[in-house]
Amino acid sequence: MRGDVPPSPGFTPDQQVALGRRERRPRRLTGVVMTDAFWQSVEREKVVAARMALKRAHEPAAG
């Protein structure tokens, strides 16, 4: 026990399965994006900036 915080009962088996599913999909999709042939066409020095731009592509333009 940590301080006055009671121990957590943890996840139920069903919750563990659901969490596993939610964690697997983003991991799989990250692998798909990261290994796409497109990244071979980006200059090595610009790969990080290009990935960050892709990560923020859904955000509205500032202005």
Side-chain angles (χ1 to χ4, degrees), residues 5-13 15-16:
V5 179
S8 169
F11 291 115
T12 66
Q15 289 171 324
Q16 290 175 342

Side-chain angles (χ1 to χ4, degrees), residues 1-60:
M1 191 160 142
R2 190 186 79 222
D4 62 349
V5 179
S8 169
F11 291 115
T12 66
D14 288 341
Q15 289 171 324
Q16 290 175 342
V17 169
L19 180 61
R21 281 191 202 117
R22 284 193 303 270
E23 290 176 343
R24 277 191 300 274
R25 185 169 188 259
R27 220 179 355 244
R28 183 182 60 80
L29 294 175
T30 297
V32 169
V33 170
M34 299 292 286
T35 59
D36 190 87
F38 166 78
W39 297 110
Q40 295 173 2
S41 70
V42 178
E43 293 177 43
R44 188 166 181 81
E45 300 81 26
K46 296 180 181 179
V47 169
V48 172
R51 286 186 176 148
M52 293 303 287
L54 177 61
K55 182 178 174 181
R56 293 186 173 87
H58 70 283
E59 296 174 358

